[in-house]
């Protein structure tokens, strides 16, 4: 058998590296900064030949990272910026939940209200469908997007709140008993927005601007509720398919609540700070309970779960080329939001938001892992008695590298 000379050479070289060079390699100062690692996470977005998106991170009451990448318009070569407006898609649900919470606090709405009393166009189900069920996504209502498509419609059609109410009025009964289980349906927050409009006797768009958006400094945000509306400063929304290239989508939805909130990344960063303050003050809509007494897993329009040992609230969604994700860790004062104007197989804001959280909360994740593992227990090693028969099948010639045996 030939001697493994290559391995010997590597070992000799490794043992003769100058001490100064070895110290530089091990020097923590040479490790990439968090900002540098963030840029690597979004390297593929940082190009001016494709759509992209915007990212914001807040930690301990401050915006610690905010960047925009790629193009808002491929046709006109307009780059995304911190003032570019995106449809934030499902991230609008926690903002709609804030509107609901405001009316509940003012005793103008109750989570126990029967939805039929506010929206008499809908069936009067038995047991009744309550506002709480809409908030928690435990209503059993059809997702109007799926029902619209099954009925032969296209999501790029002109779709209004009246269209959706007419569609849901045809649902003979809930898919399951309201309150018995969680199942996300965008119908829930579309209906909540309409309930807010009827309780306040104002268009949802106007009330949100006057009571939520403008007072919180979100002056580069708007609720779109008019078909074919042109939103000044907004990005175009694109789909990408291999072999077919980019397709710019036509957006005609006029039904806000779960879609239709256009906002910039700087405004969303401001909102994250406000959301963190609401969480710290205990003013988020509390997590509901299912009929069996177990928690619903829904908090203020977000899902609650555990991420690498830490409590996380999150929301995400796609809509005709817009693609967004939010992850909030209230116990650690941390949140990340990602807005994007393209959908393709390699654009995944949910996964990227998780990587951003893991990067910034590495110490907290390590501490959670250590706490879960508990104290190390040292046990005496058992006597080892090798059994030669177990290794007989391993006897033979092994290839070290091509030509070496």
């Amino acid at each position: 058998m030939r001697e493994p000379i290559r391995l010997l050479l590597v070992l000799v070289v490794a043992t003769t590296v100058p001490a100064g060079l070895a110290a530089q390699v091990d020097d923590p100062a040479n490790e990439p900064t968090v900002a540098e690692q963030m840029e690597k996470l979004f390297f593929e977005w940082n190009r001016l030949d494709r759509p992209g998106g915007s990212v914001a991170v807040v930690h301990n009451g401050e915006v610690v990272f905010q960047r925009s990448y790629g193009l808002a318009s491929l046709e006109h070569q307009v780059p995304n910026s911190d003032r570019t407006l995106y449809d934030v898609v499902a991230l609008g649900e926690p903002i709609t939940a804030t509107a609901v919470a405001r009316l509940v606090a003012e005793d103008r709405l109750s989570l126990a209200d029967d939805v039929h009393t506010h929206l008499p166009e809908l069936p009067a189900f038995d047991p009744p469908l309550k506002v709480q069920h809409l908030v928690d996504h435990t209503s059993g209502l059809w997702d109007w997007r799926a029902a619209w498509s099954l009925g032969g419609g296209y999501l790029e059609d002109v779709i209004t709140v009246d269209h959706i109410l007419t569609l849901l009025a045809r649902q003979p009964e809930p898919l399951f008993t309201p309150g018995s289980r969680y199942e996300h349906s965008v119908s829930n927050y579309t209906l909540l927005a309409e309930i807010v409009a009827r309780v306040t006797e104002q268009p949802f768009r106007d009330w949100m601007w006057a009571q939520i958006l403008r007072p919180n400094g979100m002056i580069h945000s708007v609720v779109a509720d008019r078909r074919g509306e042109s939103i000044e400063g907004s990005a175009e929304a694109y789909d990408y398919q291999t072999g077919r290239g980019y397709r710019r989508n036509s957006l005609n939805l006029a039904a806000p609540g779960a879609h239709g909130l256009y906002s910039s990344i700087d405004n969303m960063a401001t909102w994250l700070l406000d959301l963190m303050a609401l969480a710290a003050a205990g003013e988020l809509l509390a997590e509901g309970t299912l009929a069996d007494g177990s928690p619903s897993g829904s908090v203020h329009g977000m899902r609650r779960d555990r991420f690498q040992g830490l409590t996380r609230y999150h929301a995400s969604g796609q809509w005709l080329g817009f693609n967004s994700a939010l992850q909030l860790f209230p116990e650690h004062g941390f949140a990340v939001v990602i807005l994007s104007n393209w959908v393709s197989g390699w654009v995944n804001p949910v996964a990227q938001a998780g990587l951003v959280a893991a990067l910034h909360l590495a110490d907290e994740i390590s501490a959670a892992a250590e706490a879960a593992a508990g104290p190390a227990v040292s046990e005496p090693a058992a006597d080892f008695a090798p059994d030669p028969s177990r290794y007989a099948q391993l006897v033979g010639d092994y290839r070290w590298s091509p030509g070496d045996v």
Side-chain angles (χ1 to χ4, degrees):
M1 180 179 295
R2 297 175 60 180
E3 294 295 327
I5 298 176
R6 292 180 177 83
L7 179 59
L8 179 61
L9 178 60
V10 171
L11 292 174
V12 171
V13 172
T15 57
T16 57
V17 172
L21 180 58
Q24 292 179 26
V25 172
D26 296 333
D27 187 355
N30 293 323
E31 296 180 359
T33 65
V34 170
E36 290 171 340
Q37 294 180 74
M38 286 287 292
E39 293 299 340
K40 290 182 179 179
L41 288 179
F42 296 94
F43 174 77
E44 287 295 330
W45 288 24
N46 196 18
R47 294 169 49 166
L48 293 179
D49 62 350
R50 59 174 54 165
S54 300
V55 184
V57 177
V58 302
H59 200 186
N60 295 329
E62 297 182 0
V63 179
V64 297
F65 183 88
Q66 185 171 296
R67 281 291 306 276
S68 296
Y69 307 92
L71 293 174
S73 170
L74 294 177
E75 294 81 1
H76 302 288
Q77 292 291 291
V78 177
N80 283 317
S81 74
D82 291 354
R83 294 289 177 86
T84 299
L85 273 64
Y86 307 80
D87 186 333
V88 304
V89 199
L91 308 197
E93 292 187 7
I95 299 178
T96 300
T98 299
V100 172
R102 174 75 62 82
L103 296 182
V104 169
E106 295 173 354
D107 291 327
R108 302 172 70 184
L109 180 67
S110 170
L111 297 178
D113 285 352
D114 187 335
V115 171
H116 179 73
T117 63
H118 295 287
L119 303 173
E121 301 95 324
L122 299 184
F125 296 122
D126 184 21
L129 174 63
K130 299 180 180 180
V131 172
Q132 181 78 63
H133 298 142
L134 301 181
V135 171
D136 289 346
H137 284 296
T138 59
S139 67
L141 291 176
W142 293 335
D143 188 311
W144 68 255
R145 298 174 304 182
W148 187 269
S149 299
L150 288 172
Y154 295 91
L155 295 181
E156 291 183 317
D157 293 343
V158 173
I159 305 173
T160 67
V161 174
D162 287 340
H163 288 133
I164 294 170
L165 286 171
T166 299
L167 180 65
L168 295 177
R170 299 172 183 160
Q171 183 172 354
E173 59 184 17
L175 299 174
F176 50 85
T177 302
S180 63
R181 76 169 193 252
Y182 170 91
E183 187 171 307
H184 188 276
S185 168
V186 296
S187 299
N188 295 320
Y189 276 77
T190 303
L191 296 182
L192 284 172
E194 182 62 13
I195 289 173
V196 170
R198 296 191 185 187
V199 169
T200 62
E201 299 181 340
Q202 296 182 59
F204 183 70
R205 172 195 190 115
D206 296 346
W207 189 86
M208 287 292 290
W209 172 251
Q211 301 296 325
I212 303 295
L213 300 179
R214 185 174 62 183
N216 288 301
M218 298 178 68
I219 59 173
H220 300 114
S221 303
V222 62
V223 174
D225 63 354
R226 302 164 188 165
R227 66 182 190 177
E229 181 175 6
S230 178
I231 305 297
E232 182 179 354
S234 66
E236 299 285 1
Y238 300 92
D239 290 326
Y240 179 84
Q241 294 182 353
T242 302
R244 298 179 62 182
Y246 293 100
R247 175 181 180 272
R248 179 166 54 85
N249 291 303
S250 176
L251 304 173
N252 293 300
L253 180 64
H259 301 84
L261 173 65
Y262 281 76
S263 189
S264 61
I265 198 65
D266 62 347
N267 274 198
M268 291 301 287
T270 298
W271 172 70
L272 284 180
L273 294 172
D274 293 336
L275 189 64
M276 298 294 289
L278 288 175
E283 296 179 5
L284 298 181
L285 288 177
E287 181 175 3
T289 56
L290 300 179
D292 63 4
S294 62
S296 68
S298 295
V299 178
H300 205 85
M302 299 172 283
R303 282 301 278 169
R304 178 191 54 76
D305 65 6
R306 302 286 288 177
F307 175 81
Q308 298 194 35
L310 308 181
T311 298
R312 172 180 68 173
Y313 301 162
H314 60 96
S316 61
Q318 297 180 3
W319 175 249
L320 296 178
F322 285 113
N323 202 352
S324 62
L326 159 71
Q327 296 195 14
L328 171 71
F329 297 80
E331 296 174 359
H332 304 284
F334 178 87
V336 52
V337 62
I338 300 177
L339 309 176
S340 177
N341 64 321
W342 63 326
V343 172
S344 75
W346 62 79
V347 178
N348 192 336
V350 174
Q352 288 170 297
L355 291 172
V356 170
L359 177 62
H360 285 81
L361 298 175
D363 292 341
E364 290 84 350
I365 290 171
S366 295
E370 292 177 3
V377 178
S378 177
E379 297 182 357
D383 293 337
F384 176 67
D387 180 2
S389 65
R390 296 180 58 189
Y391 311 115
Q393 61 182 335
L394 303 178
V395 175
D397 293 335
Y398 289 84
R399 184 175 298 278
W400 173 259
S401 64
D404 292 337
V405 177

